[in-house]
Amino acid sequence: MLYHRISLLFGMYFMLIEKSVAQDSIPTVGVFYGRYTDQNEEYKRIVSDAIDHVDGDLRVTHLLPELNDDHEKIYYTNINQALRVGICNRIENTNLKALIVPNDICVDCRNIGGIAGDAVSPVLTTDLSYNTKAFNLYPSKEDLTDLFVSLVNYTKWRDFIIVYDHGSAERIVEGLMGQTQQYRWRVTPYQVTDLKDLRDKLKHSRVKNILLFCELEEVALNVVQMAIDEELMTDAYHWMFGNINLPLVYNQIDKIRIGRAYITRLAMDFEGNVGRFGTQKAEPLDEWPYRLRLTYDGVLAIHEAMKLHRARLGRLSPEHTSKCPNNDQANNNLKSTLEEDLQRVAFEGLSGPVSFDSKGNRVNYTINIHMGKGLTVFFHSDLRKQVLGMWTQDIRSWERSHRETWPNGNNRLYMGGFRNANLDRIRISSLVEPPYFVDDSFQGFRGFIPELLEKVKKTMEEDLGLPFDYQLELVSDGDYGRYDSVENRWSGLMATLTEGRSDIAAAPLVITSERDTAVDFTVPFMKAELGVLIMHPNWVREDIFAVMFPYNATVWVLFVVTILLIGAIIWGINQLNPYEWRKLAERGVVTEEKGDYFNVWNSPWFQTSTIFFQGFDHSPRSWAARTMSGFWFWFSLVMIFLYIFNLTPYLTASKNLARIKDIGQLMSQTTVDVGFVRDSSAYDFFRNNEIDEYRRMWEYIHSANSMYREDSAIVSRIEDGVHRVRYSNGQYALIHDRLTLIAETRQRRCSMYITGGHFALVEYGFAVPSGSPLRDQLSYVFELLHERNELEGLMNNDTWFDPEKDGPCRTGDPKLWKDQALYSLTTGDLIGIYLLLAIGMACSFGFFLIEIIAFQLGYGEGSGRYRTTRKPQYDSATNGARNEQAYMPPTSAGADEKMWL
């Protein structure tokens, strides 16, 4: 009995010894925790889940922050203190086979994980580290720099801001700044030291492209939350989140969606099933801090390396573990035998494919690139179709794993053509406005815009290596678009962008501040002149009595009365003054014929002949009549010259508008209504212009032409404006794009003329949804086309006209057409003169008939009913002898005596 009890005791003793030996043979990994990783014990639980997942083949020592005398956690701020006290002293008497070190154990230090990797072997870092012997679970600085350069080059950002914190993020900023000259970037770096200061800088900056990358993802999340709260993630911004799998929660994503900022996010390509990893964390994987996933994979990587180590050397525990060097051992080159096995690790973890190269950098992974608005910022599997592109760390590895050829040659970045409204091809909206866009039922779409899009497609594919397959559609209402503040929405072409129905608005769309708040504009693809369309002066029909307009009706009546009155005065003087012709004839000094020089009919004729500078047959003899005649001559001279000087403006009134060269002259005229096409380039130019002269012009037109009046000078369509010009008889002028007006003037009848000189230039650009990468890509293409002078002659095409509106006005001498408009007087200008001449001819012909009839009836001298007797006349040649001629009495006795005067 005693023997059995002794045997049992010995058996239990040896079992305990074997169990102790087995436990001692299980390698232990040390995991450090810092300011963020120590919160809520979340990281501690995930490490425990990973240990459980490897079936107890590893043990873990949780190296939590130490406590001071006041039982407060110690967070180091000095790198030497953090390394020697926080790391080396704590592992000095342990048998840890590997360490997992986050950078937050010393938030203010630079690259603490990398420095720990130089002191201890092996170390796995969960944050970005550089120049280290540690194994980096986070992508390397060189790979991230290449990724960011490729992405910025893809989006063709020229001006952008980099927001970063410190440490390894600073090194990436240095790498990007070194590329500025090569890519002609204008980069503004902002370091995150104070969120309020950063907020003020971003709000006051005109640059809306922002690249955010921080070494500590908690800092990046703070910046994102600040941007959401301060409305810096609105429609005008494009944020590129450089931190891999930045863990945004649903509340943040929903606010970003509502703000409509354009977002670029990076996600490690992950093909695995989360369920196969043993973890108790309930949140979706997308909401995990990426460092948390890396910590989990760090435990798995050490476990995989241990298995490889046992298979290679036949023992589980590594033989050598290098510890922190002493002061006299600064060059400690000892390293653990486990490092060789860590370099051979390859598995699919929660953070994606995990493997390392000989330098400890993570390799053979692929990062998916998400771009867009709204739900595109989620990483859920049902939105994988929104992945716009991918960047692979190693092309050959990708080809081996996918068993296909990498689609972009030797370039590690592959981006599909941007698609926002349609996943198959880019959808482009436009509207008909010759010569920019012509919809020909026989030849399809033609004009400047279709030709420009073909050049854009060629440049995109050949110079940028980006596909640019597009679908061109017309806006049904033909409207550029206006903002309705009541319904809080845009109409027309603008609505296709703001409502996500198209990717590009390609039209002669004026770049305005109001539109720029809703969409993004490219750099201008062209600058166009505004012109003023008027009716050609040759076709303007002035009032037929315009020649009478220098004087009003009262003046003309007084003028006629004055002629009659002065004639009556001259006649009275002739009848009563003894020195005048009538009294001299009565005394026989002169003949009876001379006595009638200023009778009741000849006196007004004297005034009429003198007023037209035709001279006179006889002048008065008396000083009284001559004095009256002198003042009459002065009066006639004044009236005639005043008439002549004032007649020219009335005859050339239709030509005044044709001579306008600037906006001041246009505003000074008062005879013609001036208008625009609503929401057109001219309308937007004047409405949004801050220059006083242009602003006054807008207020003048807008106040004089209320939009609610039927006779408003602001029309809805270009066709309405042209029709109004054509049939307004020169009383309406339309300000619009000169090239469009030229196309419109080709129609029958050739009755329109374009004036205006060079008083205004407008800039046209393509519009894209806010934040779309197409903005910078198209801007880059337009700059290339301008540098190559490929756009200079593109507009000089005389075939871009609407076939339904084409007419014979395309032919003829344009200089003659212009000279006629500016200088030539036409029958329309002189019709009043011809009419008055015709009236005179009619009156003359009427008097002619009356005189013929009167003569036939026997009235007048020599008609046969009278004989004349000449009274004696004084003849100086015969020294006063008188010549007499008998008076011939009427043929019938007793007839009334009549004299035809």
Side-chain angles (χ1 to χ4, degrees), residues 544-592:
I544 58 176
F545 293 109
V547 292
M548 308 298 292
F549 287 174
Y551 296 138
N552 63 18
T554 303
V555 174
W556 282 117
V557 171
L558 289 176
F559 190 52
V560 174
V561 170
T562 301
I563 293 176
L564 297 177
L565 178 61
I566 300 301
I569 292 173
I570 296 294
W571 175 79
I573 292 173
N574 185 65
Q575 295 296 320
L576 301 175
N577 195 307
Y579 295 103
E580 278 299 338
W581 294 104
R582 170 49 55 192
K583 291 300 183 179
L584 291 175
E586 290 177 355
R587 295 197 302 269
V589 178
V590 295
T591 62
E592 184 68 22

Side-chain angles (χ1 to χ4, degrees), residues 738-795:
R738 182 178 292 271
L739 295 174
T740 301
L741 295 180
I742 291 174
E744 293 291 339
T745 55
R746 291 174 170 175
Q747 305 174 60
R748 288 181 181 273
R749 48 193 172 121
C750 306
S751 59
M752 292 185 293
Y753 178 77
I754 301 173
T755 184
H758 306 283
F759 70 89
L761 283 175
V762 293
E763 294 181 333
Y764 296 146
F766 282 7
V768 298
S770 294
S772 169
L774 285 170
R775 176 195 62 183
D776 297 288
Q777 292 171 356
L778 290 171
S779 296
Y780 181 78
V781 169
F782 289 153
E783 290 176 356
L784 280 181
L785 293 176
H786 280 299
E787 290 176 3
R788 298 170 182 173
N789 297 321
E790 294 187 33
L791 298 181
E792 301 299 325
L794 192 59
M795 182 53 78

